[in-house]
Every structure is written in structure tokens, then in C-alpha cells.
């Protein structure tokens, strides 16, 4: 594994090696299988960042479930109320079903808070959050995160699906910005 990589104009150093990521993904998958036995959940993976995490996680989830991919669209409101986020591509009926959101990283938590608000309008029976990464030091809203693979410091990271300006998603390890 490369110890440092260049992504566009920035240098990143390995911070979470592949083996550690995979061990934590397997641990969380086991927790989900234990908690959701017989419940037929719908996994909603949030694009783009979670595509690799979702692929690895779901292959460890050995029970009947559906998988769908959604994207969050931001719109500038016509009033001064700010940004409105909508869920694009929710093409599975989640009414009355348990939903597990699969996210790459929760930073301020604002994206996830919007996602929860919007998803609740589709009346699922329950919603749990499953995130690969969490930056507890950056969290601005109170979120109940049931499944989390790894907690990390406030630094900017790339790899394993996460990007810097669209690049750097296609690595097996996770890298931290070198200041
Ligand atoms: P939040 O709304 O502040 O929680 O931000 C969530 C989104 O910001 C994530 O889904 C990522 O797309 C992006 N993000 C936050 N921190 C990082 C990082 O360290 N590297 C890459 N993307 C990040
Ligand atoms: Mg994301």
C-alpha cells in the first residue's frame, strides 16, 4: 500500500489501512444481521461517497434485504430560508418498512439530519443510520447513529469512496490530508 498519495494539488498519507476498514465493516454487518433478523430491511446507500462501503457491507449482510441507491439534491431556495435537500432516486416503496441509511461519513451531521426529515415523510416503520466514518468533534446536531465503523479526528480524508474535489475515491485504504 502506498504510504502517501497525491490527489490533485494535495498530499494525503495513509491513516486507516484496508485491513482495519474491512474488519470494522464486518463487525457492523454482524451487528445489523443480529438486530434485523427476519425484518426484511431496505438499505438506502447515499451516492456517491458510499458506493464502496455499501458494496463491501452488503456482501457481509447474510439475510434477505433490498438495496437501493439515493442521491441528495441541494436546491437554493427562492426565499432566504437557505438550502433544501431532496432525496433523488428513491424508487423503492419504504412505507411500513425498516430502512437502514448507508452513508460514507457524518461530519457536521446536517446532511443526515435533512435526509432523516425527508425520509420520514415516506413513512418507513423505522430508520437507522449506518455510517462508515464519524467525526464526533464536528457534529453540530444531535443524531442517533446506531452503526458506525470508525470514529476519526476532524481532519479531511479521502479514499474508499470519499473524494477530494471528485478525485481520490478509488483506493483501498483511507488517507488523511497532510498539512
Ligand atoms: P455533513 O453534512 O457535514 O455531515 O457532511 C457530509 C458530507 O460531507 C459527506 O457525505 C461527505 O460527502 C462530505 N465530507 C465530510 N467530511 C469529509 C472528508 O473528510 N472527506 C471527504 N468528504 C467529506
Ligand atoms: Mg456523502
Amino acid at each position: 500500500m502506498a504510504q502517501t498519495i497525491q490527489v490533485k494539488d494535495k498530499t494525503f498519507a495513509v491513516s486507516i489501512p484496508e485491513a482495519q476498514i474491512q474488519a470494522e465493516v464486518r463487525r457492523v454487518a454482524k451487528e445489523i444481521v443480529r438486530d434485523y433478523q427476519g425484518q426484511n430491511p431496505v438499505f438506502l446507500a447515499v451516492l456517491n461517497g458510499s458506493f464502496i462501503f455499501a458494496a463491501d457491507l452488503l456482501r457481509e449482510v447474510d439475510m434477505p434485504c433490498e438495496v437501493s441507491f439515493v442521491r441528495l439534491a441541494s436546491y437554493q431556495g427562492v426565499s432566504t430560508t437557505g438550502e433544501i435537500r431532496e432525496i433523488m432516486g428513491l424508487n423503492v416503496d419504504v412505507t411500513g418498512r425498516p430502512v437502514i441509511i448507508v452513508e460514507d461519513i457524518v461530519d457536521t451531521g446536517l446532511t443526515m439530519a435533512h435526509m432523516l426529515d425527508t425520509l420520514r415523510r415516506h413513512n418507513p416503520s423505522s430508520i437507522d443510520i449506518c455510517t462508515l466514518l464519524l467525526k464526533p468533534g464536528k457534529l453540530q446536531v444531535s443524531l442517533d447513529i446506531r452503526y458506525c465503523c470508525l470514529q476519526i479526528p476532524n481532519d479531511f480524508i479521502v479514499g474508499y469512496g470519499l473524494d477530494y474535489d471528485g478525485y481520490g475515491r478509488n483506493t483501498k485504504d483511507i488517507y488523511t490530508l497532510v498539512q
Side-chain angles (χ1 to χ4, degrees):
M1 98 192 146
Q3 289 304 311
T4 67
I5 54 165
Q6 188 75 21
V7 182
K8 300 190 86 174
D9 60 329
K10 298 200 188 308
T11 305
F12 293 83
V14 165
S15 57
I16 313 172
E18 180 185 9
Q20 190 183 351
I21 299 169
Q22 295 301 335
E24 296 300 327
V25 170
R26 278 193 297 272
R27 170 184 62 80
V28 165
K30 283 201 182 82
E31 291 174 16
I32 292 173
V33 170
R34 176 197 67 201
D35 298 342
Y36 276 85
Q37 212 46 249
Q39 291 191 55
N40 190 21
V42 181
F43 287 86
L44 281 188
V46 186
L47 294 173
N48 294 332
S50 74
F51 78 110
I52 294 179
F53 173 43
D56 284 347
L57 179 77
L58 269 299
R59 280 180 291 179
E60 299 288 338
V61 170
D62 186 14
M63 66 177 174
C65 62
E66 278 185 86
V67 186
S68 197
F69 294 85
V70 293
R71 189 183 282 274
L72 295 178
S74 306
Y75 295 101
Q76 207 55 54
V78 285
S79 65
T80 53
T81 50
E83 213 173 61
I84 300 159
R85 286 203 177 87
E86 291 193 356
I87 299 173
M88 288 170 62
L90 185 62
N91 55 9
V92 55
D93 185 10
V94 299
T95 310
R97 294 187 60 189
V99 170
I100 302 168
I101 300 171
V102 180
E103 177 64 297
D104 54 351
I105 185 165
V106 175
D107 189 70
T108 63
L110 294 171
T111 303
M112 195 45 67
H114 279 281
M115 174 101 187
L116 288 175
D117 281 349
T118 312
L119 195 53
R120 282 194 192 103
R121 289 184 226 136
H122 295 265
N123 299 312
S125 59
S126 64
I127 306 173
D128 273 325
I129 299 168
C130 175
T131 188
L132 173 69
L133 301 161
L134 169 67
K135 293 180 185 170
K138 294 275 287 286
L139 210 52
Q140 286 179 21
V141 289
S142 109
L143 276 182
D144 183 9
I145 299 175
R146 189 168 186 186
Y147 306 106
C148 175
C149 294
L150 293 147
Q151 299 200 4
I152 59 168
N154 291 348
D155 316 306
F156 189 80
I157 52 132
V158 294
Y160 195 71
L162 290 110
D163 71 303
Y164 163 53
D165 203 15
Y167 287 81
R169 295 189 196 273
N170 53 319
T171 65
K172 292 175 178 172
D173 309 300
I174 289 173
Y175 296 78
T176 299
L177 178 65
V178 176
Q179 298 296 343

